[in-house]
C-alpha cells in the first residue's frame, strides 16, 4: 500500500517521462513558424499494459491542424517502443480503462520564442 505522497510522486515521474519523450521528438513545422502559429493541445495516448502503443487521439486541438499533426507524429515516434519496466502500476490505477489499457493525457505546447 502506498501513501498519497508516494502515489503522487510515482504518477508525476511516469507523466514526466512520457511528456519528455514526446517533446524530445517534436519538430516545429516550418510552415507554422512562418505563419507565427502557436498553440496548446492535449493528446490522449492509449497504451497496453506492456507499453505497446495502441492509439493517439487529439483530445483538445490547438486550433491548427499542422500543430496537432506534428504533436501526433512526435508522440508516435517517441512512444513506438516503451520498455515494459517503465509502466508503473500507479499509472494503471490512475489511467486504466475497461480494456486494460492506459489512456494518458499528454499536454503539448507549441511556443515561438525570439
Amino acid at each position: 500500500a502506498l501513501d498519497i505522497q508516494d502515489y503522487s510522486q510515482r504518477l508525476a515521474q511516469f507523466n514526466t517521462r512520457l511528456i519528455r519523450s514526446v517533446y524530445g521528438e517534436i519538430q516545429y513545422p516550418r510552415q507554422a513558424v512562418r505563419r507565427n502559429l502557436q498553440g496548446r493541445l492535449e493528446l490522449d495516448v492509449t497504451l497496453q499494459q506492456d507499453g505497446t502503443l495502441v492509439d493517439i487521439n487529439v483530445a483538445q486541438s490547438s486550433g491548427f491542424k499542422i500543430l496537432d499533426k506534428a504533436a501526433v507524429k512526435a508522440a508516435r515516434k517517441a512512444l513506438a517502443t516503451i520498455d515494459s519496466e517503465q509502466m508503473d502500476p500507479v499509472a494503471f490505477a490512475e489511467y486504466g480503462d475497461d480494456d486494460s489499457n492506459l489512456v494518458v493525457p499528454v499536454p503539448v505546447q507549441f511556443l515561438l520564442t525570439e
Side-chain angles (χ1 to χ4, degrees):
L2 293 174
D3 66 25
I4 189 70
Q5 186 174 1
D6 288 339
Y7 181 94
S8 297
Q9 185 177 22
R10 284 175 55 179
L11 186 62
Q13 289 170 346
F14 176 82
N15 288 340
T16 298
R17 276 195 310 269
L18 211 64
I19 292 167
R20 279 188 181 160
S21 62
V22 172
Y23 269 88
E25 296 295 338
I26 287 182
Q27 299 289 317
Y28 213 121
R30 288 185 195 151
Q31 186 178 17
V33 172
R34 284 194 302 269
R35 292 180 175 174
N36 200 32
L37 302 180
Q38 302 181 85
R40 183 187 184 289
L41 62 117
E42 188 166 298
L43 301 174
D44 278 347
V45 175
T46 305
L47 302 167
Q48 291 178 346
Q49 289 184 358
D50 65 358
T52 302
L53 179 63
V54 176
D55 200 10
I56 300 171
N57 292 303
V58 177
Q60 180 181 346
S61 175
S62 66
F64 302 104
K65 286 184 182 182
I66 192 168
L67 297 181
D68 295 352
K69 288 172 86 173
V72 169
K73 182 178 179 181
R76 281 199 194 289
K77 188 172 182 182
L79 306 175
T81 54
I82 296 179
D83 187 352
S84 62
E85 293 176 10
Q86 294 178 336
M87 301 302 291
D88 194 315
V90 168
F92 292 106
E94 188 70 23
Y95 300 123
D97 69 7
D98 294 337
D99 296 327
S100 298
N101 291 326
L102 281 81
V103 180
V104 184
V106 176
V108 177
Q109 183 162 349
F110 286 90
L111 183 64
L112 293 170
T113 56
E114 294 190 26

